[in-house]
């Protein structure tokens, strides 16, 4: 029974990734190798971020929440933005293929590295716990978040979106500092786990819808020349 719970959690967490890869057209473009390259690039970026954090924020007391310290630490997540940009520059084809492969690959790597092992070690436990369902739902939100972020990065590097540059930069910054916003809400408002999942979903949906709106306002066309 506990193993069945583990399978259900893994299915809930990973099914949207499979469906996105299969039905968003990625499978038709033979981009699986580029997908794997994005996963390896994610691992390299995370290792680099860990080195930076260990160098500049050693022996920090994580039990005390400090907005300034957390702000500086999360600023390191700009490395993810650079990684997504590099991933997209290595992918040829339609603009949709570029940001989808980068976003799905990045989110898949995070799913494996940060979600699968807690599910493996915890969801097979003797007692049922809703937190593993929450982990699975959070992975779905993460998928949309990274696809939206990749789309915004793509839009920023198009010549025909200069009139939207400030909006795009603001949205990218919101994506980067989403963990800090969540921590502030937890410590100030006292959000519970389910409320936090709901707020993350609303936040991600808000970013994604604005990104898609900007994309279609610029024609939603094929690749433009970069800046």
């Amino acid at each position: 029974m506990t193993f069945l719970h583990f399978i259900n959690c893994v299915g809930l967490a990973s099914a949207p990734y499979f469906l996105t890869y299969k039905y968003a057209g990625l499978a038709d473009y033979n981009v699986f190798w580029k997908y794997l390259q994005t996963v390896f690039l994610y691992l390299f970026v995370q290792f680099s971020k860990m080195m930076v954090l260990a160098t500049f924020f050693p022996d920090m007391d994580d039990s005390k929440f400090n907005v300034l310290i957390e702000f500086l630490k999360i600023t390191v997540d700009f490395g993810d933005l650079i990684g997504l940009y590099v991933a997209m520059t290595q992918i040829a084809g339609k603009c949709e293929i570029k940001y989808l492969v980068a976003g799905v690959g990045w989110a898949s790597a995070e799913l494996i590295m940060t979600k699968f092992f807690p599910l493996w070690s915890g969801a097979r436990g003797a007692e049922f716990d809703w937190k593993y369902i929450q982990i699975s739902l959070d992975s779905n939100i993460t998928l949309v978040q990274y696809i939206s972020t990749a789309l915004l990065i793509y839009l920023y590097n198009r010549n025909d979106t200069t009139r939207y540059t400030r909006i795009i930069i603001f949205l990218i910054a919101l994506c980067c500092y989403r963990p800090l916003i969540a921590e502030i809400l937890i410590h100030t408002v006292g959000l519970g786990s389910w409320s936090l999942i709901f707020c993350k979903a609303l936040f991600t949906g808000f970013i994604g819808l604005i990104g898609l709106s900007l994309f279609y306002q610029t024609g939603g066309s094929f690749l433009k020349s970069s800046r």
Side-chain angles (χ1 to χ4, degrees):
M1 190 68 180
T2 56
F3 185 73
L4 180 61
H5 176 51
F6 167 72
I7 295 298
N8 288 335
C9 290
V10 171
L12 178 61
S14 59
Y17 291 75
F18 173 77
L19 294 174
T20 302
Y21 185 87
K22 183 174 179 61
Y23 294 105
L26 301 184
D28 299 331
Y29 285 87
N30 297 319
V31 294
F32 186 70
W33 173 241
K34 296 298 183 183
Y35 174 84
L36 287 181
Q37 284 182 320
T38 303
V39 172
F40 289 125
L41 181 59
Y42 170 90
L43 297 176
F44 172 77
V45 170
Q46 301 313 306
F47 176 78
S48 301
K49 287 166 56 178
M50 289 173 58
M51 294 297 294
V52 172
L53 289 173
T55 301
F56 295 100
F57 300 96
D59 302 325
M60 295 301 301
D61 185 5
D62 294 332
S63 62
K64 297 180 180 179
F65 179 72
N66 185 299
V67 175
L68 178 59
I69 295 298
E70 293 300 321
F71 175 83
L72 295 175
K73 290 169 66 175
I74 292 177
T75 300
V76 179
D77 288 344
F78 275 99
D80 290 317
L81 306 181
I82 298 172
L84 285 169
Y85 172 75
V86 172
M88 285 189 284
T89 60
Q90 305 302 313
I91 301 168
K94 295 181 179 180
C95 56
E96 294 91 344
I97 299 302
K98 285 178 173 287
Y99 70 76
L100 278 174
V101 171
V104 174
W106 211 263
S108 299
E110 182 162 312
L111 170 65
I112 295 171
M113 298 304 298
T114 66
K115 303 292 194 306
F116 181 79
F117 294 108
L119 291 177
W120 174 258
S121 61
R124 295 183 301 117
E127 296 183 3
F128 175 85
D129 196 324
W130 280 105
K131 73 177 182 180
Y132 302 110
I133 300 293
Q134 294 169 356
I135 290 175
S136 301
L137 293 174
D138 187 66
S139 71
N140 299 337
I141 298 172
T142 299
L143 172 63
V144 179
Q145 180 70 42
Y146 278 125
I147 291 176
S148 302
T149 304
L151 172 60
L152 291 170
I153 295 172
Y154 165 76
L155 290 173
Y156 177 77
N157 285 279
R158 283 176 53 151
N159 284 327
D160 57 353
T161 58
T162 52
R163 63 185 182 277
Y164 302 118
T165 298
R166 292 183 180 179
I167 298 176
I168 294 172
I169 291 176
F170 175 71
L171 293 175
I172 291 175
L174 284 180
C175 291
C176 186
Y177 289 105
R178 189 190 71 160
L180 177 61
I181 297 172
E183 287 293 329
I184 292 175
L185 289 176
I186 291 172
H187 286 83
T188 57
V189 183
L191 285 181
S193 55
W194 284 110
S195 300
L196 182 60
I197 291 290
F198 180 72
C199 289
K200 284 183 177 180
L202 285 180
F203 179 89
T204 302
F206 172 77
I207 298 293
L209 288 175
I210 295 180
L212 282 176
S213 177
L214 293 175
F215 178 71
Y216 286 116
Q217 284 185 34
T218 56
S221 56
F222 295 102
L223 291 174
K224 306 289 184 180
S225 57
S226 298
R227 286 181 186 153

